[in-house]
Amino acid sequence: QKNSNFQPGRNSIVQMFEWNWGNLAKECETFLGPKGFAGIQISPPNENVVVGDEGRPWWERYQPLSYQLTTRSGDEGALADMIKRCNNAGVRVYADVVFNHMAAKGGSGTGGNNCDPSKKSYPAVPYGPDDFHPDCMINNYQDVNNVRNCQLVGLPDLDQSKQYVRDKIVGYLNHLVDLGIAGFRVDAAKHMWPADLSAIYGSVKNLNSAYFPGGSRPLFYQEVIDYGTEPIKKGEYTGFGRVLDFVHGGQLTNVFRGQNQLKNLQSWGTSWGLASGSDTVVFIDNHDTQRDNGRVLTYKEAKQYKMANAFMLAHPYAEIPKLFSGYYFNDNKQGPPGQDNICAEGSGWVCEHRWRQIANMVGFRNAVSGTDMTNWWTDGYQQIAFGRGNKGFVAFSLSGDIKADLQTSLPPGTYCDVITGDISNNSCTGKTVTVRGDGKATIHLSSGEPDGILAIHVSAKL
Ligand code: AAO
């Protein structure tokens, strides 16, 4: 259950935070598919409680009320249509699934059903008092039983050791599989027992053969926040799925904020406290960490954010990188803006995935797939460059100008720097780099440039 199920030649997932299904279907067809994205992570597609008294915060979607597929992103018909159109555009769909708990707030849901958490009553599933752990709050992350048997921020905690509860969860996941989903981001996996999760994953059916080879298993990537300071370890969850590695974004944030030197990235990998790249999904920011008081780089520090994401995409260490795309916010709980003109100037949506530097690095990763890192270079401080075999070459400068003749393993010719431009009508709208007969190239990257990155690859050769 660690296989990505990507279509060949594609390598990166993007979390499309709060996008509605209609806009996502179009985005797959007009941008994500053509630009080579491999997959999207969607916001939880099941019914949640409507948190009207707090202005419909984004986090109401983490308070499930039933497994019916109606949310503010759209109903089941719109979801099914989006999954089909994205698959047809080469883009796989991964659902954020929340089954550690049910809603803590009472009242009506996005699908018109109701719940009463004080009675542990969720009739549209149905769940009742017997399906939950006894009431207690999570207040000690050093106590494994407290973390897994008590309530995360007061959310009624389902007991996944019960067969009935497992059946309901598996039924929900199977419904999504039937619609053509490729896998799941499992919310709050740390708060569930590994043995229960293993049993649940093992009971989910094979992927829909209309889109996937026979016998394909869904990908499970699990939210297990492990900075190394608590008894629950990500390794407890890697026997039956992948984990989201939270150390990854923290370390690259330190580096690209200048708190560690770029030259040290020569050893980037497990020696930095990361799990094996074949056990994880890695990312710079997600919907929680981008709201965590500047803990990680986000769109708010655009230059360094692009550099960190570009490094993630250029480096061979991790198998599955995940990007993030969301909306501007100041208030941490603010819900999504209107979606009529999504991504237009003034729409309130950042659309990080459409930034040329990010989208083109998704293309870089596809072009260099299967190659090792080669031709490592550094000035000894805050400048580095490296190749990906005979397919690509990339340079980063956090301080000072790079003006150097560097050895690449690329075939001779003229390449378009995909950070500053694109190829259009057989010419490059940005900088070009000439690789000479001996593989050497003069690399210019000045500190005055907006991005601090230069990237060339064989699919963008003139
Ligand atoms: C909302 C309200 C609450 C209210 C609740 C119930 O905000 O006031 O009580 O409703 O009515 C999201 C929002 C929540 C929201 C919830 C439900 O973030 O604010 O609550 O929806 O609407 C832990 C979990 C992790 C979880 C994270 C937020 O382990 O699973 O908390 N993330 C997921 C989702 C998230 C969602 C939920 C789960 C719930 O991605 O969006 O919540 O479905 C430590 C632990 C972590 C722990 C953090 C935060 O980390 O290790 O496991 O995450 O604390 O409590 C240092 C420490 C490190 C610490 C870290 C991060 O590095 O060393 O240990 O800082 O702070």
Side-chain angles (χ1 to χ4, degrees):
Q1 341 244 59
K2 292 188 193 181
N3 188 351
S4 65
N5 300 305
F6 291 160
Q7 290 200 3
R10 296 176 181 263
N11 295 281
S12 312
I13 294 177
V14 54
Q15 176 180 357
M16 302 296 280
F17 183 53
E18 285 280 8
W19 276 56
N20 70 33
W21 311 147
N23 280 331
L24 264 181
K26 273 187 241 141
E27 197 69 1
C28 282
E29 292 169 343
T30 59
F31 190 88
L32 296 166
K35 281 287 185 181
F37 285 78
I40 54 177
Q41 178 184 309
I42 59 171
S43 285
N46 67 303
E47 179 174 24
N48 60 266
V49 73
V50 172
V51 181
D53 58 343
E54 297 196 58
R56 309 291 310 266
W58 62 268
W59 48 251
E60 70 172 43
R61 300 189 69 162
Y62 293 86
Q63 300 211 17
L65 191 142
S66 81
Y67 299 129
Q68 295 177 20
L69 299 176
T70 300
T71 60
R72 64 176 158 212
S73 287
D75 62 14
E76 178 168 349
L79 176 69
D81 180 63
M82 179 274 286
I83 295 170
K84 179 175 168 191
R85 289 164 62 191
C86 287
N87 272 319
N88 289 339
V91 181
R92 300 311 198 190
V93 183
Y94 303 85
D96 191 349
V97 286
V98 186
F99 54 78
N100 169 65
H101 51 259
M102 296 299 285
K105 294 231 174 205
S108 59
T110 48
N113 295 301
N114 284 282
C115 71
D116 183 352
S118 69
K119 299 200 173 81
K120 303 281 188 306
S121 167
Y122 303 85
V125 178
Y127 283 136
D130 292 346
D131 302 319
F132 294 84
H133 286 124
D135 286 353
C136 53
M137 285 291 285
I138 295 178
N139 51 21
N140 181 7
Y141 276 92
Q142 299 304 322
D143 176 352
V144 174
N145 289 297
N146 176 260
V147 174
R148 290 181 174 145
N149 294 340
C150 293
Q151 298 176 348
L152 174 60
V153 295
L155 297 154
D157 197 51
L158 284 166
D159 182 351
Q160 291 84 10
S161 71
K162 303 217 155 137
Q163 193 57 44
Y164 176 80
V165 173
R166 289 182 182 180
D167 289 346
K168 287 294 168 192
I169 294 167
V170 170
Y172 169 45
L173 303 184
N174 279 343
H175 188 182
L176 292 171
V177 166
D178 285 338
L179 298 182
I181 242 97
F184 305 97
R185 178 258 185 199
V186 179
D187 185 72
K190 175 189 206 169
H191 302 278
M192 295 181 271
W193 292 94
D196 294 340
L197 290 177
S198 176
I200 288 167
Y201 303 169
S203 304
V204 175
K205 53 163 78 164
N206 290 339
L207 296 181
N208 186 329
S209 59
Y211 304 112
F212 301 91
S216 298
R217 300 293 300 151
L219 169 66
F220 289 92
Y221 58 99
Q222 309 163 90
E223 191 214 14
V224 180
I225 301 178
D226 174 9
Y227 292 105
T229 58
E230 295 170 17
I232 295 178
K233 303 294 178 204
K234 43 197 175 194
E236 294 172 59
Y237 293 82
T238 51
F240 42 82
R242 290 177 180 262
V243 289
L244 285 158
D245 199 333
F246 283 74
V247 174
H248 178 275
Q251 293 282 28
L252 288 184
T253 290
N254 287 341
V255 172
F256 287 99
R257 278 195 184 140
Q259 290 146 357
N260 191 346
Q261 291 194 326
L262 261 66
K263 67 158 188 199
N264 294 328
L265 289 171
Q266 183 165 13
S267 64
W268 182 241
T270 52
S271 67
W272 289 64
L274 305 171
S276 156
S278 54
D279 283 336
T280 56
V281 170
V282 301
F283 58 101
I284 304 299
D285 61 335
N286 74 8
H287 63 286
D288 290 327
T289 63
Q290 89 162 175
R291 288 171 175 73
D292 195 359
N293 295 318
R295 178 183 201 110
V296 294
L297 289 168
T298 69
Y299 75 86
K300 296 183 184 190
E301 293 162 89
K303 179 173 181 175
Q304 291 86 340
Y305 183 64
K306 285 182 268 185
M307 292 177 80
N309 275 294
F311 180 82
M312 170 177 79
L313 292 167
H315 198 280
Y317 148 70
E319 286 179 355
I320 307 185
K322 182 165 75 71
L323 299 153
F324 180 83
S325 190
Y327 53 85
Y328 296 96
F329 65 92
N330 292 312
D331 171 1
N332 273 351
K333 75 177 182 189
Q334 181 186 322
Q339 303 202 20
D340 286 350
N341 283 306
I342 200 161
C343 293
E345 186 81 31
S347 67
W349 293 84
V350 186
C351 298
E352 292 92 327
H353 70 286
R354 284 207 198 167
W355 293 358
R356 182 184 61 244
Q357 301 85 344
I358 286 183
N360 282 357
M361 285 307 293
V362 167
F364 178 99
R365 192 173 182 86
N366 292 342
V368 304
S369 168
T371 63
D372 292 328
M373 192 202 273
T374 47
N375 302 106
W376 172 267
W377 172 88
T378 176
D379 71 334
Y381 301 100
Q382 296 289 33
Q383 301 173 357
I384 57 169
F386 58 88
R388 292 293 305 273
N390 58 1
K391 302 288 194 194
F393 194 82
V394 64
F396 296 85
S397 173
L398 200 57
S399 122
D401 300 344
I402 300 183
K403 214 171 198 182
D405 276 339
L406 301 183
Q407 182 70 51
T408 80
S409 302
L410 288 168
T414 304
Y415 294 81
C416 183
D417 167 30
V418 297
I419 300 300
T420 51
D422 286 294
I423 292 186
S424 148
N425 299 324
N426 291 322
S427 74
C428 177
T429 60
K431 295 198 284 190
T432 56
V433 176
T434 302
V435 175
R436 299 187 289 270
D438 60 359
K440 286 198 169 153
T442 307
I443 302 291
H444 280 198
L445 178 58
S446 85
S447 55
E449 292 183 38
D451 295 323
I453 318 160
L454 177 148
I456 54 176
H457 62 78
V458 288
S459 304
K461 188 167 182 272
L462 290 162

